[in-house]
Amino acid sequence: MGFLRGGLVLFILLCSFEKSFGSRKTRHLKWDVEYMFWSPDCKENVVMGINGQFPGPTIRAKAGDTISVLLTNKLHTEGVVIHWHGIRQVGTPWADGTASISQCAINPGETFDYRFIVDKPGTYFYHGHFGMQRSAGLYGSLIVDVADGETEPFHYDAEFNMLLSDWWHQSVHHQEVGLSSKPFRWIGEPQTLLINGRGQFNCSLAAHFSNTTSTNQCNLRGNEQCAPQILRVLPNKTYRLRIASTTALASLNLAVGGHKMVVVEADGNYVQPFQVEDIDIYSGESYSVLIRTNQEASKNYWISIGVRGRRPQTPQALTLLNYAPTSASKIPFSPPPITPTWNDYDHSKSFSNKILALMGSPKPPRNHDRRIILLNTQNLIDGFTKWSINNISLHLPSTPYLGSIKYSLKTAFDNKSPPENFASDYDVMKPPVNPNTTTGNGVYMLPLNTTVDVILQNANALEVNVSEIHPWHLHGHDFWVLGYGEGKFTKEDEKKFNLKNPPLRNTAVIFPFGWTALRFVTDNPGVWAFHCHIEPHLHMGMGVVFAEGVQHVNGIPNQALACGLTGNRFMKTTQN
Amino acid sequence: MGFLRGGLVLFILLCSFEKSFGSRKTRHLKWDVEYMFWSPDCKENVVMGINGQFPGPTIRAKAGDTISVLLTNKLHTEGVVIHWHGIRQVGTPWADGTASISQCAINPGETFDYRFIVDKPGTYFYHGHFGMQRSAGLYGSLIVDVADGETEPFHYDAEFNMLLSDWWHQSVHHQEVGLSSKPFRWIGEPQTLLINGRGQFNCSLAAHFSNTTSTNQCNLRGNEQCAPQILRVLPNKTYRLRIASTTALASLNLAVGGHKMVVVEADGNYVQPFQVEDIDIYSGESYSVLIRTNQEASKNYWISIGVRGRRPQTPQALTLLNYAPTSASKIPFSPPPITPTWNDYDHSKSFSNKILALMGSPKPPRNHDRRIILLNTQNLIDGFTKWSINNISLHLPSTPYLGSIKYSLKTAFDNKSPPENFASDYDVMKPPVNPNTTTGNGVYMLPLNTTVDVILQNANALEVNVSEIHPWHLHGHDFWVLGYGEGKFTKEDEKKFNLKNPPLRNTAVIFPFGWTALRFVTDNPGVWAFHCHIEPHLHMGMGVVFAEGVQHVNGIPNQALACGLTGNRFMKTTQN
């Protein structure tokens, strides 16, 4: 009894202690990564799961909290890392989870402590960043609420989380071999789109609206791994939908039948609210939208997700907005919302251009110190198909840059700085005259506290009249999106930059045959990947590496550098 | 002209230099390991290849040569190691190529120099020893000829090399998940048997001898990846067939239609020649047999390989012995030799008992210093199916023993020595009364220069009346096979040990419900795996670890220890 009372006193003391630090917590998580059998789309396959779950557990924290994930690699022969997408890792660049860039991959059987602060509320996610392990299913949601005492700049009654992905039946190992083969074998379109890891391959929830008889109506009990998570709502409330896309390939469009959406957040940054019928979302992006459940409560409504930007061969993903007390088994009266035509880029651009920073948000510096223009091209090396940036296809080194740059290991990567522009006579509207390229792993060295502009320039791919969408994601930073344009970027285009209220993002798309202008300040020492977030494109070399103020980085865990030349260097003094 | 002449002089000088060292060479090889598309059995799949070849390149050397393989890991996310099966690695235990035991797995993008002496002529092979990468196709032949000036103790005119393996259509990643799942999913019997990486899944070379009409006659041009390598011979010559088995599972029997075989070598050791109609070969074993081409030269003859020891569901592998000048397309007159019934263990034992050391071979010490009895059982842990040795299922640590033992890193593995015997009342003829087991990774610490006996004791598996064949392979040593017996080993059995002319082997089989007695001398400092060579059985824990004189090991390359606790320890002094 005395013991119990003592325990109670200690508990109260601990609670007070916690409060005196403004409720900032360290959230301790223990994760095991392993392959397991799973049926994401009703067809059994092997997925990369965490703690027996697919998708991995949702992390929920408050702004200012520290997350500690003790990640144990239970794979048999593969290394693993996890990237915390949208978290800037200020002061902890070694926790960014990019193999070959911020750390050595965690070996089978080993445990790595990912410890970092989530400093900003928002809708984030995490995913594998080694080989194509993201495509294998290694992902999950990371939701950061406002700190205690703070409020969001909008009201809502409750929220739902929707992590979107795409799924292939062929293993990523098989896909990787195809991408690295001569002749090249493309992975093709996904078999299924997933919402929170759930989709239906062999059937449709809306089969009876289909024009064909070949589609079967799904006959699901609801407890299957592939059964849709239904959004159960009360009438006349406001709901926040947190929508994030970790697709390997697909650009998506989401619509809620009969309901308009008000966009309020993009990539963990508040935007000036605007209303739309549907949203486009590219891999690497996240949005929060508000919906008002002001429709007829005796009905249910479709939520539909479809493919954009590539000729779709994948059925829509569907789930239901289910008004209480209507039965969730009641099929909506109308067919699911139709996804806009895949190549209606005006629709996409119109949406992108509506995204502006919430009034009062930080503005970009008026001027840039440096401008890097990055031409995106599809190329060939000895018959192997690649993507290149300013004619260099990124091939990551075996020693993480964070270590090799800090310790000036000059043989670890190409010391020549990659080009900051491309030939002025390059015609972005035509296939490359000379399609050849080279591999490389040079780094853009950026001095601290400078303002950098990046112009992402799209171009025609190898085939005539083809230019693809590429959503580019920057690690370690948000950037301002200063504008989108058509054709080749010119000095004149600069005059049209939005310096008044450009949105802060960590991912921005380049439209076919167009350009996108970004600005950021190099205020975060570390080495940061900047790459197309389409998994096979990155695998084919579509990325660059930025290093800033690496000499200011201290405290890199030994384990993060125990490979390649850093591993060898630090073990040199010992005689084994 | 002057330059050319100078070059010529230098060349002559180099040749003389080489000769003055008795022709002992260092053979430098550069290998890239990567996945590739391949059709081992006429059906396309992904295999793990070396330098674009499957099986990997054949290494050919002379006794006393040094092999240097600069192995670069070109896999995207997997580590890799290669074990040189049958090479004792005297003085180079870090080159034994066992992940978690002799070295850290080589990371993607990194290169490791496997440098070791092949001190003994014989028929060897190499293969992956991490996860189930051997099953993925990572293997090849290693043939060591006698040193210049030496001769083999038998005559032959020419030779052929036959590396035998088994092949599944399901990827090893998928197989591994099944083996580690609850409920357990067994990999099943192989789809195809391969000779030098070639087999036929959809057809048979001998279809018209088949009783069923469902088998198609193969229609191969001969240049296919799956076309059989035909053995073209001249009449009235003696040929050496070098036969090695790197199967993941299958025990095999090989016969040459119309020809008897004289066995002259087993596992790189000469045996007293004996003649047989067919040979049994278990995974991990190698044999040389001599055949005399004394049959009718106008015919061709089948070479057939079939499954033994498990109820076969895999067709025989076939190729032809083709007498010149008879056309290779001429099908033999008779059907292929029939493989002895799978469970005719008397046939198997009869063969094993014929294998005796060549007269004049080194004899074992008369007495042992220590006897370790290893009970092999099939068990359960929380519903997961395992194999255990003295009730411990081996689960390898993340730090290689060679480093953790040398540097006394006591937390790296279980310090408690594993048991050297099992309960005296254990009934090996019945399923375990208590099927539960535990995982562990303790080590049998063996003092240098002692004589160790190992009694491998087989038992009933989980299912009643089932006891399987297990070929056990020892690293770092050959051992003498003192005898095989039925039932539970008793002190009385010792009297029947063959101390006169037991064969030296590196692999020995235990027959169902039987025991096998081995003896070796601990004369090779290092840490050595000893395990069932059936890949899924090892994956399920069927192995032990022997450490001998590790304090005498010097010169371990840093890279071999740059992981786990050794990686961490040696990087500790630095502040990153």
Side-chain angles (χ1 to χ4, degrees), chain B residues 361-373:
Chain B
S361 298
K363 290 187 180 182
R366 301 293 308 168
N367 300 301
H368 65 279
D369 299 307
R370 184 169 176 180
R371 177 166 293 163
I372 300 173
I373 304 181

Side-chain angles (χ1 to χ4, degrees), chain A residues 44 110 185 407 564 570 576, chain B residues 44 110 185 407 564 570 576:
Chain A
E44 191 188 73
E110 295 191 30
R185 298 194 197 176
Y407 296 104
F570 296 125
N576 297 322
Chain B
E44 191 187 73
E110 295 192 28
R185 298 194 197 177
Y407 296 105
F570 296 125
N576 298 321

